[in-house]
Amino acid sequence: MKLDPRTTVAIGLTLAILVLFNISIIDREKTISTGKTLFLELAPVDPRSLMQGDYMRLRYVVEDSVPDGVLKEYEKRGYLVLRGDSANVARFVRVHDGESHRQDERLVRFHRQFGRIRIVPDSFFFQEGHAELYEDAQYGMFRFDERGRYLLVGLADTNRVPIEP
Amino acid sequence: MAIDQVPANRRLVEELYANGYLTAAARQAALEFLKPHDQWSLWISRLLLIVGSALALSGVVYFFAFNWSQIPPIAKFASIQIGIVAAVGAASVWGFTRTHGQVLVVGASVLVGVFLAVFGQVYQTGADAFELFTAWSVLILGWSVISNFAPQWALWLAVTNVALGLWWRQAALPSEEMAFLIYAYLALLNGMALAVREWGALRGVDWIARRWTRVLLTIATLLALLVPASTLVMADDPTTSMLVAGIMGLIGHVVLYSAYRHLLPDAWAVSATVLSGCLVLDAAAYRILSSALGDNTAATWLSLGLATLVIFATAMVYLRSIAPKLKAAHD
């Protein structure tokens, strides 16, 4: 069967999309399976819902530990250096300034708008109707792999036990 | 007017019949000639194809939303990818230039968005929704280019608009001074799409010349012009971006008006532009009246009501006066 050029291009594009999709999946799975866990304590927030299902907006306690005046007015994004204490709960160390960091220090990306620091991801998605399960969440559970990439993998209760639906 | 210059249409036939110049059989024959009786079946089959595809796709979306934690991630990802392969596969069998194939590519494009949304939820990357929409826009651009299908481009443009808006809020992080510049970007994006549409239509590209594409793009462009223009006329102390986007909004209205009044006469597009301009004028009236009448809110709102009546009534009278000319030019 001979394909016309339009069909060939369309199939090529589709293959490229699928390859990209699956590379991204394998990448994230690797971070989850090999990564080390760090807990970020949550500040109280309201669960909110959006059209695509339910999600919870997150704020992290560590966002407020950045001392005033460390960041200049124009610095709108950057990395915070965090380190886990004995219970693996993240503590603020400093704002990253391009320097190399210690093995046990982790970099998390933040945005800053109207003077407020926001660590991303700042939302957690769950199935419609599971809101009350997550109401008492105390920690955001992150996994960091050796390349420094990280994912929010779940929420945990006061004893740092992951909340499972 | 010579007889061969009188346009034949349903109204003319009905008028001739009502006045007794045509018999019932002649009227039937004339109408059959003007609008073949099987035209509706083509129309209904197109409509059902589109409604059916939309319902099937939203079914897929809701299925995932509702069974979120019961389905393991791997099953979610696999089933969406199988859906994409099936849609593109069927489209290549039918042919990408035929309506069935084109609708299937739109379906595949929506599934790419579904995949990205599911990906964002499984790996909790939801905060950066702009990345999702940007990826979606980039990934389906190739299909759009080869689709020659206006609904596919409409989907692409909608996704790109959202991507641009979210990027502005989540990644560009503009200062208050610059925040309004997004409307200038959105107006440029949609205005350029409208310009491409008109260019294509003039060069005889059939699929882009459908009437609804002009309607959709004019509305999108006008919205991006109207918001900053009316904000600017109401602002006491406008920021730099309000000035830039607002002035662009005002000029944009004039450009659209002259384009559809003189270059490509179109009564609908002129009316839409004039009515949007009326809203800007109304905002200006509010500003003038509220500063003139100060604390007297009752008087402000009463006179604003009257001003609104005058503005829109004048616009209506004007539009009615130019409508015949535009219609003649259009025919």
Side-chain angles (χ1 to χ4, degrees):
Chain A
M1 188 174 91
K2 186 145 173 26
L3 296 175
D4 70 292
R6 196 184 291 272
T7 310
T8 317
V9 173
I11 292 174
L13 286 168
T14 310
L15 286 178
I17 289 173
L18 295 179
V19 167
L20 227 101
F21 279 176
N22 291 301
I23 288 178
S24 314
I25 294 174
I26 293 167
D27 221 38
R28 298 300 190 287
E29 287 299 331
K30 226 167 117 190
T31 303
I32 292 175
S33 59
T34 64
K36 296 206 168 65
T37 306
L38 184 69
F39 293 97
L40 267 72
E41 197 179 341
L42 300 175
V45 275
D46 302 321
R48 271 204 241 161
S49 70
L50 197 74
M51 253 169 49
Q52 62 193 116
D54 243 357
Y55 81 101
M56 195 165 163
R57 192 147 283 293
L58 304 179
R59 290 213 49 199
Y60 303 97
V61 169
V62 77
E63 291 168 353
D64 297 326
S65 349
V66 182
D68 289 340
V70 172
L71 289 165
K72 310 225 170 32
E73 187 60 43
Y74 57 84
E75 288 180 289
K76 286 187 176 167
R77 50 180 76 75
Y79 291 88
L80 299 183
V81 181
L82 305 178
R83 188 167 35 210
D85 62 11
S86 55
N88 251 346
V89 175
R91 302 285 170 220
F92 172 75
V93 182
R94 62 185 179 275
V95 176
H96 189 238
D97 196 21
E99 78 281 5
S100 56
H101 53 95
R102 290 170 32 173
Q103 189 95 59
D104 61 344
E105 289 176 339
R106 308 271 177 242
L107 298 186
V108 292
R109 198 151 64 95
F110 70 87
H111 288 163
R112 183 157 158 271
Q113 200 172 19
F114 308 124
R116 195 170 88 67
I117 285 181
R118 214 156 46 86
I119 290 176
V120 281
D122 63 348
S123 61
F124 182 77
F125 289 92
F126 46 81
Q127 185 179 311
E128 196 78 51
H130 285 176
E132 69 272 19
L133 267 174
Y134 293 100
E135 255 167 26
D136 301 322
Q138 196 70 43
Y139 296 96
M141 222 168 75
F142 283 74
R143 278 274 150 81
F144 287 78
D145 66 18
E146 71 274 16
R147 292 166 302 168
R149 304 190 24 162
Y150 61 92
L151 287 172
L152 171 64
V153 293
L155 300 185
D157 63 14
T158 28
N159 302 317
R160 289 177 297 284
V161 177
I163 301 172
E164 306 276 2
Chain B
M1 196 187 279
I3 188 76
D4 60 350
Q5 284 175 325
V6 177
N9 57 32
R10 188 178 190 121
R11 194 172 144 188
L12 183 71
V13 174
E14 296 293 1
E15 239 169 65
L16 290 172
Y17 174 67
N19 289 307
Y21 294 109
L22 287 179
T23 63
R27 168 181 171 269
Q28 201 52 48
L31 288 179
E32 174 70 20
F33 184 69
L34 284 172
K35 296 196 192 308
H37 75 276
D38 54 354
Q39 202 179 30
W40 69 272
S41 66
L42 178 68
W43 182 82
I44 205 120
S45 116
R46 290 257 166 85
L47 182 75
L48 286 177
L49 176 66
I50 291 164
V51 171
S53 320
L55 285 176
L57 284 170
S58 63
V60 173
V61 174
Y62 282 109
F63 179 79
F64 281 107
F66 198 77
N67 298 293
W68 185 245
S69 48
Q70 276 81 24
I71 313 170
I74 188 81
K76 292 174 198 159
F77 292 139
S79 55
I80 300 169
Q81 295 193 43
I82 289 169
I84 294 173
V85 171
V88 177
S92 36
V93 172
W94 254 304
F96 288 93
T97 45
R98 295 185 46 199
T99 313
H100 285 85
Q102 291 167 325
V103 170
L104 282 163
V105 173
V106 175
S109 304
V110 172
L111 285 176
V112 167
V114 172
F115 180 93
L116 292 169
V118 170
F119 187 86
Q121 292 183 324
V122 168
Y123 298 118
Q124 302 292 351
T125 53
D128 287 337
F130 89 93
E131 283 175 358
L132 185 156
F133 280 90
T134 309
W136 192 0
S137 162
V138 172
L139 291 175
I140 66 174
L141 178 62
W143 285 340
S144 307
V145 170
I146 60 164
S147 75
N148 286 1
F149 194 46
Q152 171 76 26
W153 278 111
L155 173 70
W156 180 83
L157 192 67
V159 169
T160 309
N161 267 290
V162 176
L164 192 60
L166 288 173
W167 167 78
W168 188 245
R169 282 230 319 258
Q170 299 178 341
L173 305 173
S175 62
E176 222 165 309
E177 192 66 20
M178 286 299 138
F180 259 79
L181 222 50
I182 184 62
Y183 290 103
Y185 294 148
L186 290 172
L188 274 178
L189 173 67
N190 295 294
M192 262 154 55
L194 181 59
V196 170
R197 185 256 174 225
E198 298 301 0
W199 181 73
L202 282 177
R203 292 182 47 124
V205 182
D206 264 355
W207 61 268
I208 210 173
R210 299 286 170 79
R211 176 133 188 85
W212 68 268
T213 54
R214 178 185 281 170
V215 171
L216 189 78
L217 291 171
T218 313
I219 292 176
T221 311
L222 276 175
L223 278 177
L225 296 170
L226 171 64
V227 175
S230 47
T231 310
L232 176 65
V233 298
M234 285 205 287
D236 287 325
D237 186 17
T239 60
T240 317
S241 61
M242 255 184 227
L243 271 173
V244 174
I247 290 172
M248 193 169 146
L250 295 173
I251 295 174
H253 275 83
V254 177
V255 171
L256 278 182
Y257 172 81
S258 10
Y260 290 118
R261 173 82 177 80
H262 302 293
L263 290 175
L264 303 159
D266 181 342
W268 185 90
V270 168
S271 309
T273 312
V274 168
L275 291 181
S276 170
C278 285
L279 292 173
V280 178
L281 280 182
D282 217 31
Y286 171 76
R287 172 153 190 200
I288 294 165
L289 290 170
S290 63
S291 65
L293 297 167
D295 296 336
N296 195 342
T297 34
T300 307
W301 289 106
L302 178 67
S303 42
L304 183 64
L306 292 174
T308 307
L309 280 177
V310 172
I311 291 169
F312 280 88
T314 314
M316 284 304 157
V317 170
Y318 171 69
L319 287 174
R320 289 193 62 143
S321 76
I322 60 165
K325 285 179 224 159
L326 289 174
K327 216 169 201 172
H330 200 60
D331 290 336

